[in-house]
C-alpha cells in the first residue's frame, strides 16, 4: 500500500516537475528582464522537489519529507508570482510615465533603430507613427539622425513652436540604446531673444553715450589747440591746413597700401583727429618767443624746441583719462615726435627711420609743407612747386621716403586744396 502511494507521489512530482519546467520557459520569454530573486525562486521550485525525490529513492531521505518539498515548491511559485507582479506593476508605472511625459521622447536601440515613442512624440511629430520597431526613424524624421550624430542640442521648429532635441545614452558602461528628448523651449527662446534685444539696445545706448563723451572731450581739446594757435600771431590757419594735408596723405597711403597699420580704419581716423594737437605744447612757450618777428637765438630756439615734450606732458594730464587710449597715445606721439627726422638729426629724442612713430612721420611732411608755403614775419613763403621740390629733396634725410613719394604724387590735389583752404 505504502509502495503504491509512493509511486503515485513520484508520478505526480514528475508531472509537477514537467509543468514547472514549461512554466519557467514560458515565464522567461515573457520576462526577459526578470530579477535575480525571481530566477532563484523559480529554480528552487523546480529543483527542491526533484532533489527530495532523488534522495528518497536513494534511501537518504524519509518519505514524509517529500510532500514538504512539494509544499516548498508551491511557496516558491507563489514568491515568483509576487515578484513578477511587482515587476509588472513597476513596468506599467514606467510605461505610464513614459507615455504621459510633457516632453516628446523616442527610444532607439544601440544601432539607432526605432524602438518606441510616447504619446507626446506622436502628437508633435505624427510622422513617427509610421515607423516600425527596428526601422530607421530618420526615414520619416531626418533631424533624428542629426541629433544622434551631434553632441549639442538641435532646434526643430514645428507648428510655430521650437523644440530642443537632445541625445541621451542609455547605460553609461556600454551603449544599449538612446533616448531622443524633445523639450518645448519656445517661451525660453522668446525670453532669450527679448534679453538679447535689450542687451544690444543697452550696448548701443552706452556706445552712443561713450562716443558723445569722447567727441566732447576731443572737441574741447581741439578748441584748446585753437586757443593756443590764437596766441601765435605768425601761424594763422596752420592747424586747419596741416589737418587737411594729413588726411589727404593718409587717404593716399591707404590707396597705395604702403603702410599696413593704416588698414585699420580706426587707427587712420585717430591720426587725423590727432593732427590739430601736434603743437599743443606751444601754450607753455612765452609770447616773447612765440611771436618773435626775427630769427631765434640759440637759447630761444632751445626753448621753442621744448614745445614737443611739453605737449606730451599736457596730453598726459588732459587725455590719459580717456577710455580711448589708442587715440591718446597717437596724439601724444605726434605732439612729441613730429620734429624728428628720418636721418636721426631731429629733436627731441633724435629718433631715426622707422623708430619714429608713423603718425609723427606723416605730420612732419604736412607741417613743413605748410610752413614753407606760409608767410612768417621772419621769412617769406616759397611757391607751391618750390615747396614740393624742397620736400622731395629732403627724402631720406628729413622725411620718410615713402611719405615723400606719396605726398608729391598728390601735387594737383594739394594745389586745389591749398587754394580752397586759403
Amino acid at each position: 500500500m505504502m509502495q503504491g502511494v509512493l509511486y503515485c507521489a513520484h508520478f505526480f512530482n514528475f508531472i509537477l516537475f514537467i509543468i514547472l519546467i514549461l512554466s519557467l520557459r514560458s515565464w522567461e520569454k515573457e520576462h526577459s528582464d526578470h530579477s535575480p530573486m525571481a530566477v532563484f525562486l523559480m529554480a528552487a521550485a523546480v529543483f527542491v522537489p526533484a532533489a527530495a525525490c532523488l534522495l528518497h529513492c536513494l534511501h537518504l531521505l524519509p518519505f514524509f519529507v517529500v510532500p514538504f518539498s512539494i509544499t516548498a515548491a508551491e511557496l516558491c511559485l507563489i514568491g515568483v508570482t509576487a515578484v513578477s507582479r511587482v515587476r509588472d506593476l513597476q513596468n506599467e508605472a514606467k510605461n505610464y510615465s513614459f507615455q504621459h511625459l510633457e516632453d516628446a521622447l523616442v527610444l532607439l536601440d544601440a544601432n539607432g533603430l526605432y524602438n518606441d515613442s510616447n504619446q507626446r512624440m506622436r502628437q508633435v511629430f505624427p510622422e513617427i507613427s509610421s515607423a516600425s520597431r527596428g526601422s530607421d526613424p530618420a526615414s520619416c524624421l531626418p533631424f533624428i539622425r542629426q541629433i544622434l550624430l551631434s553632441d549639442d542640442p538641435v532646434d526643430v521648429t514645428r507648428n510655430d513652436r521650437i523644440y530642443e532635441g537632445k541625445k541621451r545614452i542609455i547605460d553609461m558602461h556600454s551603449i544599449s540604446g538612446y533616448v531622443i528628448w524633445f523639450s518645448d523651449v519656445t517661451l525660453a527662446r522668446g525670453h532669450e531673444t527679448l534679453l538679447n534685444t535689450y542687451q544690444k539696445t543697452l550696448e548701443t545706448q552706452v556706445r552712443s553715450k561713450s562716443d558723445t563723451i569722447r567727441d566732447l572731450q576731443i572737441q574741447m581739446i581741439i578748441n584748446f589747440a585753437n586757443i593756443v594757435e590764437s596766441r601765435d600771431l605768425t601761424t594763422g590757419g596752420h592747424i586747419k591746413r596741416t589737418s587737411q594735408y594729413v588726411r589727404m596723405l593718409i587717404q593716399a597711403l591707404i590707396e597705395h597700401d604702403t603702410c599696413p597699420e593704416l588698414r585699420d580704419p580706426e587707427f587712420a581716423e585717430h591720426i587725423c583727429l590727432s593732427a590739430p594737437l601736434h603743437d599743443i605744447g606751444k601754450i607753455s612757450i612765452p609770447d616773447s618767443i612765440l611771436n618773435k618777428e626775427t630769427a631765434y637765438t640759440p637759447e630761444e630756439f632751445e626753448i621753442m624746441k621744448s614745445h614737443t615734450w611739453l605737449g606730451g606732458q599736457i596730453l598726459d594730464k588732459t587725455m590719459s583719462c580717456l577710455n580711448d587710449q589708442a587715440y591718446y597715445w597717437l596724439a601724444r606721439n605726434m605732439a612729441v615726435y613730429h620734429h624728428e627726422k628720418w636721418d636721426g638729426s631731429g629733436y627731441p629724442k633724435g629718433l631715426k627711420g622707422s623708430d619714429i612713430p608713423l603718425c609723427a612721420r606723416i605730420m612732419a611732411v604736412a607741417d613743413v609743407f605748410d610752413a614753407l608755403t606760409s608767410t612768417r614775419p621772419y621769412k617769406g613763403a616759397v611757391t607751391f612747386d618750390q615747396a614740393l621740390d624742397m620736400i622731395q629733396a629732403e627724402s631720406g634725410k628729413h622725411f620718410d621716403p615713402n611719405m615723400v613719394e606719396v605726398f608729391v604724387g598728390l601735387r594737383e590735389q594739394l594745389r586745389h586744396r591749398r587754394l580752397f583752404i586759403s
Side-chain angles (χ1 to χ4, degrees):
M1 184 67 179
M2 288 295 296
Q3 190 78 13
V5 173
L6 180 61
Y7 285 146
C8 287
H10 286 336
F11 175 75
F12 285 114
N13 187 63
F14 176 74
I15 295 300
L16 178 62
F17 179 78
I18 296 300
I19 292 173
L20 290 175
I21 290 293
L22 294 176
S23 299
L24 176 63
R25 292 179 61 83
S26 175
W27 183 81
E28 285 182 332
K29 290 180 180 178
E30 295 179 1
H31 299 80
S32 58
D33 59 343
H34 48 267
S35 66
M37 178 59 72
V39 174
F40 173 76
L41 292 175
M42 197 67 178
V46 173
F47 293 110
V48 167
C53 291
L54 178 62
L55 292 173
H56 175 70
C57 291
L58 296 174
H59 304 289
L60 298 176
L61 197 67
F63 175 74
F64 70 86
V65 177
V66 174
F68 288 106
S69 68
I70 295 175
T71 302
E74 291 174 348
L75 293 174
C76 289
L77 286 175
I78 292 173
V80 169
T81 303
V83 171
S84 300
R85 182 55 182 163
V86 171
R87 194 61 179 266
D88 289 343
L89 288 173
Q90 291 176 341
N91 289 337
E92 287 178 9
K94 291 179 180 178
N95 184 62
Y96 181 85
S97 299
F98 171 72
Q99 292 296 338
H100 291 83
L101 278 174
E102 292 185 1
D103 293 330
L105 274 71
V106 179
L107 300 181
L108 308 178
D109 63 19
N111 297 317
L113 300 179
Y114 179 79
N115 187 291
D116 197 4
S117 59
N118 67 352
Q119 292 180 9
R120 183 60 176 163
M121 182 69 191
R122 292 189 290 274
Q123 291 172 357
V124 177
F125 305 102
E127 300 95 321
I128 198 68
S129 300
S130 63
S132 58
R133 183 166 295 183
S135 64
D136 184 4
S139 60
C140 52
L141 295 173
F143 52 80
I144 289 183
R145 180 63 55 190
Q146 181 184 356
I147 297 172
L148 272 177
L149 298 176
S150 174
D151 293 329
D152 299 319
V154 175
D155 284 351
V156 180
T157 302
R158 181 61 61 96
N159 298 327
D160 297 327
R161 309 293 295 179
I162 302 174
Y163 295 88
E164 184 182 72
K166 298 179 181 178
K167 172 184 66 179
R168 298 184 182 181
I169 299 175
I170 303 174
D171 192 344
M172 297 302 293
H173 299 291
S174 59
I175 297 177
S176 58
Y178 301 92
V179 177
I180 305 299
W181 198 295
F182 294 93
S183 302
D184 190 339
V185 294
T186 307
L187 187 59
R189 290 288 190 273
H191 289 162
E192 288 178 7
T193 301
L194 184 63
L195 184 61
N196 290 335
T197 301
Y198 176 75
Q199 183 177 358
K200 289 179 180 178
T201 302
L202 186 60
E203 288 175 353
T204 301
Q205 291 176 347
V206 170
R207 191 181 303 111
S208 177
K209 295 294 184 183
S210 299
D211 290 344
T212 300
I213 293 172
R214 190 196 70 167
D215 292 343
L216 286 172
Q217 290 173 321
I218 292 173
Q219 191 58 49
M220 288 175 63
I221 295 168
I222 291 175
N223 290 339
F224 185 41
N226 288 327
I227 293 172
V228 173
E229 186 181 50
S230 68
R231 289 183 58 239
D232 188 348
L233 304 178
T234 66
T235 59
H238 177 68
I239 287 179
K240 183 178 181 180
R241 291 191 298 270
T242 52
S243 297
Q244 290 285 346
Y245 299 149
V246 165
R247 184 172 291 277
M248 292 174 66
L249 179 54
I250 286 176
Q251 290 174 348
L253 288 169
I254 292 173
E255 291 175 3
H256 286 76
D257 197 23
T258 54
C259 296
E261 302 99 315
L262 295 178
R263 293 172 186 167
D264 180 358
E266 188 175 27
F267 180 81
E269 183 62 22
H270 280 163
I271 295 179
C272 295
L273 293 175
S274 300
L277 306 177
H278 72 282
D279 276 339
I280 194 76
K282 286 185 177 180
I283 195 172
S284 300
I285 304 300
D287 288 344
S288 59
I289 296 176
L290 193 63
N291 295 318
K292 188 177 180 181
E293 296 184 358
T294 58
Y296 295 134
T297 66
E299 293 78 12
E300 291 171 336
F301 185 56
E302 288 300 319
I303 294 175
M304 176 56 77
K305 286 164 59 176
S306 68
H307 82 276
T308 53
W309 57 266
L310 287 172
Q313 289 183 350
I314 291 171
L315 294 178
D316 288 339
K317 294 176 181 178
T318 58
M319 293 184 65
S320 59
C321 60
L322 288 177
N323 292 330
D324 195 345
Q325 288 293 294
Y327 173 56
Y328 155 61
W329 279 107
L330 280 171
R332 187 185 189 282
N333 285 340
M334 185 178 288
V336 175
Y337 301 115
H338 69 280
H339 282 293
E340 298 286 1
K341 296 184 179 181
W342 186 257
D343 61 6
S345 62
Y347 62 89
K349 294 282 187 70
L351 299 182
K352 183 178 181 180
S354 58
D355 290 339
I356 305 170
L358 176 63
C359 59
R361 283 181 270 152
I362 292 173
M363 174 51 74
V365 176
D367 191 37
V368 172
F369 177 74
D370 185 67
L372 290 173
T373 55
S374 300
T375 301
R376 298 286 188 268
Y378 53 86
K379 75 168 192 70
V382 301
T383 65
F384 177 85
D385 291 317
Q386 286 176 331
L388 283 181
D389 291 342
M390 294 172 71
I391 292 288
Q392 194 164 20
E394 289 295 312
S395 176
K397 300 174 185 177
H398 190 152
F399 308 113
D400 180 346
N402 181 42
M403 303 297 152
V404 173
E405 181 181 358
V406 175
F407 190 76
V408 173
L410 295 172
R411 183 180 296 268
E412 295 308 316
Q413 295 96 309
L414 286 168
R415 191 190 308 275
H416 174 74
R417 178 61 62 180
R418 177 73 183 178
L419 291 173
F420 178 77
I421 296 175
S422 299

